């Protein structure tokens, strides 16, 4: 399944890398796509992730999950 | 424009994050999509990147660019 999240505060490659790293470490994640211009992060995973799991990962990276796009 | 590269050696979220970080830092990059299962990295950029630019970024992250998919 694929879900698009909106993350606040990513401005550069380092930001994109940190968010990708944390989200890709969640169980079952296969693809992570980061759009630097819009802050949209598209996550494809084998099984459903809860918004809390994704929020915690984004928090861990130092950014803020606004919600599902 | 969008180009798909094959990167060798990415096995986890940390790998995906490092590669994303370095590629997203190249000039004009708008989207980076990492597929952990296949090693394919899709890069969308405003202007063309050379394979050497992408190879250098992947090297910097500690992985190997196999080539364009």
């Amino acid at each position: 399944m694929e879900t698009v999240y909106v993350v606040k505060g990513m401005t550069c490659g380092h930001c994109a890398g940190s968010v990708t790293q944390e989200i890709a470490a969640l169980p079952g994640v296969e693809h992570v796509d980061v759009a630097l211009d819009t802050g949209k992060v598209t996550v494809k995973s084998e099984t459903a992730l809860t918004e809390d799991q994704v929020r915690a990962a984004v928090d861990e990276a130092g950014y803020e999950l606004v919600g599902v796009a």
Side-chain angles (χ1 to χ4, degrees), chain A residues 7-69:
Chain A
V7 174
K8 198 171 158 183
M10 295 187 299
T11 55
C12 67
H14 174 257
C15 305
S18 301
V19 169
T20 299
Q21 175 177 335
E22 294 296 339
I23 291 179
L26 294 174
V29 171
E30 296 170 325
H31 282 78
V32 179
D33 173 289
V34 176
L36 277 169
D37 47 352
T38 58
K40 287 188 181 167
V41 179
T42 305
V43 181
K44 191 177 162 200
S45 59
E46 281 171 11
T47 52
L49 299 169
T50 66
E51 194 166 326
D52 279 352
Q53 280 180 297
V54 177
R55 187 178 306 278
V58 171
D59 269 1
E60 190 65 32
Y63 301 92
E64 186 191 334
L65 181 67
V66 177
V68 173

